[in-house]
Amino acid sequence: HLGVARLLLAAGADPNAGFLWDGMPSPFTALTGAFGGGEQGAPPHPQELELARLLLEAGASANDSQTIYNRGAGDAHAQDDIDVLDLLLQAGLGRGDGGPWHRLLVPRHPAPAQLLAEALQHAAHAGLPRRARLLLDHGADPDLRSTHPVYLGRSPYEEAVLQGNPGVSDLLERAGAATSSVGDPERVVGELLAPAGSDGTSTRSDGGPAGGSAGRSAGSGADAALLDVVRQRHPDLVARAAAAGRADAIERCLGHGFGIDARTPAGLTALHEAGVRGDTGIVTLLLSRGADPELRDPQHGATPGGWAAHGGHDELAALLHSAAEDG
């Protein structure tokens, strides 16, 4: 494969070759193909880093918006790996004029600094501290917000707290991110959604707790009023815990009175989120606690079983369809 690529490039092939899928202003380039990923889980090239390095050395732009999406917000199973980001950052991601596709598509194509913001926002959302640290070390603005509607205009710091990712929120605070917009209700959300092994509270740069006593004692009777506020502002915590694959957080949220079928702003229930990700353990837990497998999302009119099928998880889809029929 690498030999063929070298021959093509030597013969004049454009290292920035790509196309606009369905007219959307995020080009699928040769670099995008090398890295794969995205909502359909396209596999990366078997020699992804070597091929990508070859393309970059031949002049491919590292400011590849579709790669940032496919290996970030569009990847339901993102891990805290840094090889792809590190290669792109070394090759100019976040710098320069954005490359030929940006020049053609501006203002609809994100500027280099915005691509760093998208990657940092995803790291905050998914709880990926190695990625967050790498991006911050390469100049990512800790306060620049993603433009993707799924993040609802939140800052990376707000995102990290509201997704229960204290490791990332601490990194952002140390990098100078503004924290004043996060109050006690948001810190309680962070505690409830925090993964196993975390006390659920972020820490300040001086080592002290950032959430205060209100966050740390969210389950006590003294904080009943605060919990009422959290349930009103953030009713979808069970769905968010399911999207993060955190069974302990699901149990914690259910124990504090959050609805098992409450929907995210996109209209998805916890079963939809777990189904599309193929998380059989979370689906089984939710069904055992009474989640409704017949509910349909508003955009596609699909049940959780339909979402599991869309994600390519046929056995889980069958389980969910069976549960809906039995219900």
Side-chain angles (χ1 to χ4, degrees):
H1 294 137
L2 296 180
V4 171
R6 289 191 186 97
L7 285 171
L8 290 168
L9 290 167
D14 182 0
N16 286 294
F19 66 95
L20 299 180
W21 179 77
D22 203 27
M24 297 181 70
S26 186
F28 284 70
T29 67
L31 200 61
T32 306
F35 289 129
E39 294 166 0
Q40 300 303 315
H45 190 278
Q47 296 171 287
E48 61 171 333
L49 294 177
E50 294 88 345
L51 178 56
R53 188 174 291 109
L54 180 64
L55 291 165
L56 291 164
E57 289 173 353
S61 173
N63 290 291
D64 193 279
S65 58
Q66 194 63 41
T67 290
I68 296 302
Y69 177 78
N70 282 1
R71 297 297 289 262
D75 184 0
H77 303 284
Q79 303 296 313
D80 200 13
D81 59 294
I82 60 172
D83 289 346
V84 171
L85 265 181
D86 190 40
L87 177 61
L88 292 174
L89 287 164
Q90 296 297 334
L93 173 63
R95 306 190 302 275
D97 67 358
W101 283 102
H102 180 69
R103 293 193 295 271
L104 285 168
L105 298 169
V106 71
R108 298 190 65 198
H109 187 273
Q114 189 62 49
L115 289 177
L116 292 187
E118 301 298 325
L120 183 60
Q121 189 88 27
H122 174 255
H125 176 85
L128 308 176
R130 294 180 69 213
R131 290 195 189 185
R133 184 180 297 109
L134 180 68
L135 289 159
L136 291 167
D137 287 346
H138 280 79
D141 184 341
D143 289 321
L144 187 57
R145 301 165 189 252
S146 167
T147 60
H148 197 290
V150 72
Y151 300 119
L152 303 175
R154 294 187 287 257
S155 71
Y157 182 79
E158 292 167 342
E159 191 70 33
V161 172
L162 287 170
Q163 298 301 328
N165 297 321
V168 179
S169 62
D170 181 55
L171 284 171
L172 289 163
E173 186 170 358
R174 289 173 183 271
T179 64
S180 59
S181 62
V182 175
D184 284 345
E186 290 72 34
R187 298 195 187 282
V188 171
V189 170
E191 178 190 358
L192 291 169
L193 291 181
S198 169
D199 65 3
T201 59
S202 180
T203 55
R204 298 192 306 263
S205 57
D206 62 4
S213 60
R216 292 193 302 277
S217 58
S220 70
D223 289 322
L226 182 56
L227 277 167
D228 284 341
V229 172
V230 175
R231 281 189 290 265
Q232 292 170 12
R233 292 186 185 178
H234 305 277
D236 63 339
L237 291 198
V238 176
R240 283 156 59 181
R246 298 174 184 173
D248 56 320
I250 290 173
E251 296 282 18
R252 194 180 305 128
C253 292
L254 291 175
H256 286 295
F258 290 84
I260 196 167
D261 289 322
R263 297 175 182 266
T264 67
L268 305 181
T269 69
L271 274 181
H272 284 97
E273 295 281 13
V276 74
R277 288 167 174 76
D279 197 328
T280 302
I282 296 294
V283 166
T284 302
L285 169 62
L286 292 167
L287 290 174
S288 72
R289 298 299 298 270
D292 188 347
E294 298 185 72
L295 296 178
R296 297 178 180 271
D297 76 280
Q299 183 174 1
H300 304 287
T303 64
W307 276 68
H310 176 71
H313 312 296
D314 294 338
E315 291 185 6
L316 185 56
L319 185 155
L320 283 162
H321 288 315
S322 177
E325 292 171 358
D326 293 342

